[in-house]
């Protein structure tokens, strides 16, 4: 399972760098300052939480505690909801959509998933139940 988290996290990191460069070089002239700031926040949070997925994967590999897998999944779905909704908002703004209604609730849901991911990781680390002792080789 940890390899799957590593692969997804690596892909998300690569994508964040590509989207960040795209925003810095191409979208800067096209977006309003508010949209550009949101876009930059989306790429930053995507990077931070992809690193969180790496951490969850390393900890899962070390301790084989499935709670760490859940933390990685929470980070993944947080990225999809938080960053994905901001990227989509930028795309839709080019299509002329200004009012997105309930769609705007997806971004804060992603933030909640990020917080739950870090909380779940915290609870996974502090739990003694189901832990495997690390190899001291």
């Amino acid at each position: 399972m940890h390899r799957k988290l590593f692969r997804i996290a690596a892909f998300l990191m690569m994508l964040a760098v590509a989207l960040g460069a795209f925003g810095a070089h191409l979208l800067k002239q096209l977006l309003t300052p508010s949209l550009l700031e949101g876009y930059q926040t989306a790429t930053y949070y995507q990077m931070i939480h992809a690193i969180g997925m790496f951490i969850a994967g390393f900890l899962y590999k070390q301790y084989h505690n499935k709670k760490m897998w859940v933390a990685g999944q929470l980070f993944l779905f947080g990225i999809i909801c938080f960053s994905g909704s901001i990227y989509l908002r930028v795309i839709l703004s080019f299509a002329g959509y200004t009012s997105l209604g309930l769609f705007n609730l997806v971004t804060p849901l992603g933030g909640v998933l990020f917080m739950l991911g870090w909380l779940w990781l915290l609870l996974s680390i502090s739990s003694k139940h189901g832990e495997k002792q690390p190899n001291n080789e």
Side-chain angles (χ1 to χ4, degrees):
M1 272 197 238
H2 65 280
R3 287 184 186 93
K4 190 172 188 177
L5 279 177
F6 292 159
R7 285 192 298 270
I8 294 169
F11 173 77
L12 290 170
M13 290 294 286
M14 181 271 309
L15 186 61
V17 171
L19 290 170
F22 179 71
H25 298 289
L26 296 174
L27 292 180
K28 191 173 186 176
Q29 298 86 355
L30 302 173
L31 297 179
T32 65
S34 176
L35 278 175
L36 183 61
E37 183 180 345
Y39 185 88
Q40 291 168 336
T41 299
T43 57
Y44 177 74
Y45 274 63
Q46 179 174 335
M47 245 184 217
I48 294 297
H49 292 90
I51 292 170
M53 288 180 70
F54 274 117
I55 293 168
F58 281 119
L59 291 173
Y60 178 81
K61 182 180 179 199
Q62 182 75 19
Y63 297 107
H64 298 282
N65 183 335
K66 290 192 180 191
K67 290 180 183 178
M68 292 163 188
W69 169 257
V70 173
Q73 295 301 301
L74 288 165
F75 291 142
L76 173 62
F77 290 112
I79 290 169
I80 291 168
C81 291
F82 184 86
S83 298
S85 67
I86 294 172
Y87 298 143
L88 193 55
R89 188 176 305 137
V90 169
I91 292 167
L92 292 175
S93 74
F94 284 118
Y97 293 98
T98 54
S99 177
L100 300 175
L102 292 177
F103 177 75
N104 286 324
L105 297 176
V106 175
T107 308
L109 172 63
V112 169
L113 292 171
F114 287 152
M115 289 185 282
L116 289 173
W118 290 111
L119 177 63
W120 201 256
L121 197 60
L122 169 71
L123 296 174
S124 302
I125 294 167
S126 63
S127 173
K128 291 285 184 188
H129 180 68
E131 268 188 27
K132 176 186 151 192
Q133 291 300 317
N135 282 338
N136 292 327
E137 296 177 6

